[in-house]
Amino acid sequence: MKKPIISRRDVLQGSTALAASSVFASVASAAPPASPVTPQLIEAAKKEGKVVFYTSIDLPVAERIAKAFEAKYPGIAVRVERTGAERVFQRIGQEYASRIYAVDVVNSSDAAHFIVWKREGILEPYLPEDVAKYYPVEHKDPDGTFATFRAWVCVIGYNTNMVKAEDAPKSYAELLDPKWTSKIVKAHPSYSGTIMTATYQMSRDLGWEYFEKLAKQKVMQVQSSADPPKKLALGERSVMADGNEYNMFVEKEKGSPVEIVYATEGSPLIVGPNALFKNAPNPNAARLFQSFCFSPEAQQLSSDIGGLRSLHPAVKEKPGRKPFGEIKKMKDDPVAVEKMSEQIKARYSKLFGV
């Protein structure tokens, strides 16, 4: 398996791991005051005229949010730089090592990235008013450097043309039934931040013995967590062992024959924070864009268009989607993921032979 040029583990070598058990925990809290959007901020942002957004959000969703921002604040252009979470992390690391400061605001589907950036002292504390007022404490950094822009769960799913609802697996344990041999598709933790996080949570809660048994099911292995829903929709496999809930929403709502299953053992919880950088080339536009990202308008867009879950209480979920609060979730622990990522990749690859 080809390793990234700069892995998260490389960045952490020689560093002291955080004592906190959560990515949002902090030893010394010094949150900045809540920052409202003022005429002065808007004017300063317009003078800069642009904002650069590095993100791993699906491109159509990121572009819709960018266009909504541009419509609300004419004269400020958003440049969306979209790629996978690991590549976002590598790019910023390489740019900052070369003293190239191109990014204003970042979003990553791997919450552990923010641990590294915060420890390196390159994040700018900034607390949007909506985050200060409405976001749960577990979804905002006490020092005000980042907050959960989006959340989702990793889910099981099935093709409704190939599997009857009463026959569909209801749990991870049921995926081990011999009847699903050669019928399962699954993503890989070496490529996907979502699947890395999910694999950690499942190995912790279900044990590695679960993956040892699943590997014997002749699973189709794909890369991205967006791939299993696509394979399912195309009928290339009848069941998926993991995949993004939001991609399943998108497939289902456009008429694809797919259905989501929330495992009885609990579904892995994934969060994708936003942050801005101290050396942002457009600091005022960065602040304005960060505030917009956490506004009800942008959060509703990400929910409606992208199928993402929002922590903003003003956001209304589409009818037909299971309310986020009713889903049994596994506990996220980005600090532990960061410590164990290379071990997880190696062990998983050995089991699944890829």
Side-chain angles (χ1 to χ4, degrees), residues 176-190:
L176 304 180
D177 191 310
K179 73 179 181 180
W180 302 122
T181 302
S182 300
K183 296 179 180 179
I184 300 173
V185 60
K186 189 183 182 310
H188 202 295
S190 289

Side-chain angles (χ1 to χ4, degrees), residues 60-354:
V61 182
E63 289 182 336
R64 283 292 296 271
I65 291 170
K67 289 185 184 302
F69 175 83
E70 291 171 346
K72 187 168 186 174
Y73 301 107
I76 309 173
V78 181
R79 192 173 88 221
V80 175
E81 297 282 350
R82 195 275 166 194
T83 189
E86 191 68 31
R87 290 180 181 176
V88 168
F89 182 72
Q90 291 172 11
R91 179 176 180 178
I92 291 172
Q94 290 164 351
E95 288 179 349
Y96 265 66
S98 302
R99 297 186 180 181
I100 297 171
Y101 307 123
V103 58
D104 289 308
V105 179
V106 68
N107 173 272
S108 174
S109 59
D110 190 334
H113 292 163
F114 296 82
I115 298 173
V116 178
W117 290 325
K118 181 180 177 181
R119 185 173 56 248
E120 290 178 342
I122 62 175
L123 296 183
E124 176 70 17
Y126 180 74
L127 187 61
E129 194 169 43
D130 278 284
V131 173
K133 285 183 176 179
Y134 304 117
Y135 277 63
V137 66
E138 65 269 23
H139 286 283
K140 54 187 176 185
D141 172 44
D143 300 311
T145 59
F146 55 88
T148 297
F149 169 75
R150 55 181 175 136
W152 64 100
V153 287
C154 194
V155 296
I156 296 172
Y158 64 96
N159 182 300
T160 57
N161 288 341
M162 303 170 76
V163 180
K164 295 179 181 179
E166 59 268 27
D167 297 329
K170 305 300 188 295
S171 65
Y172 290 113
E174 289 183 23
L175 290 176
L176 304 180
D177 191 310
K179 73 179 181 180
W180 302 122
T181 302
S182 300
K183 296 179 180 179
I184 300 173
V185 60
K186 189 183 182 310
H188 202 295
S190 289
Y191 296 93
S192 167
T194 293
I195 303 304
M196 168 61 73
T197 298
T199 302
Y200 166 74
Q201 293 179 30
M202 292 171 65
S203 64
R204 177 197 62 201
D205 294 3
L206 307 180
W208 275 101
E209 296 82 3
Y210 172 76
F211 288 106
E212 291 171 5
K213 294 174 183 176
L214 185 64
K216 297 175 182 177
Q217 289 285 69
K218 298 181 180 178
V219 173
M220 172 191 279
Q221 190 69 65
V222 293
Q223 294 185 8
S224 169
S225 54
D227 291 338
K230 295 173 184 176
K231 297 293 185 184
L232 208 62
L234 292 170
E236 293 186 28
R237 283 293 187 273
S238 58
V239 174
M240 71 177 203
D242 56 27
N244 288 327
E245 177 194 43
Y246 59 84
N247 288 115
M248 287 291 282
F249 283 148
V250 171
E251 289 291 346
K252 188 176 178 181
E253 289 166 9
K254 72 180 184 182
S256 297
V258 299
E259 189 56 76
I260 295 170
V261 174
Y262 298 99
T264 57
E265 298 95 338
S267 298
L269 172 64
I270 320 293
V271 299
N274 258 34
L276 52 91
F277 288 87
K278 285 184 177 178
N279 289 316
N282 308 290
N284 294 294
R287 293 182 180 93
L288 187 61
F289 185 72
Q290 180 79 330
S291 288
F292 179 76
C293 282
F294 288 98
S295 69
E297 180 181 353
Q299 289 289 301
Q300 190 69 60
L301 259 180
S302 69
S303 174
D304 290 347
I305 305 301
L308 296 161
R309 304 292 192 156
S310 173
L311 282 306
H312 200 302
V315 171
K316 306 299 182 185
E317 294 183 346
K318 275 188 175 181
R321 295 178 182 174
K322 186 169 185 175
F324 200 45
E326 294 180 9
I327 299 170
K328 181 181 178 181
K329 308 174 194 71
M330 294 181 178
K331 186 181 183 299
D332 63 324
D333 189 348
V335 172
V337 172
E338 188 59 53
K339 290 179 182 178
M340 299 180 66
S341 62
E342 296 305 316
Q343 178 186 333
I344 289 170
K345 290 177 186 178
R347 192 163 184 177
Y348 184 97
S349 295
K350 184 177 180 181
L351 285 176
F352 286 84
V354 288

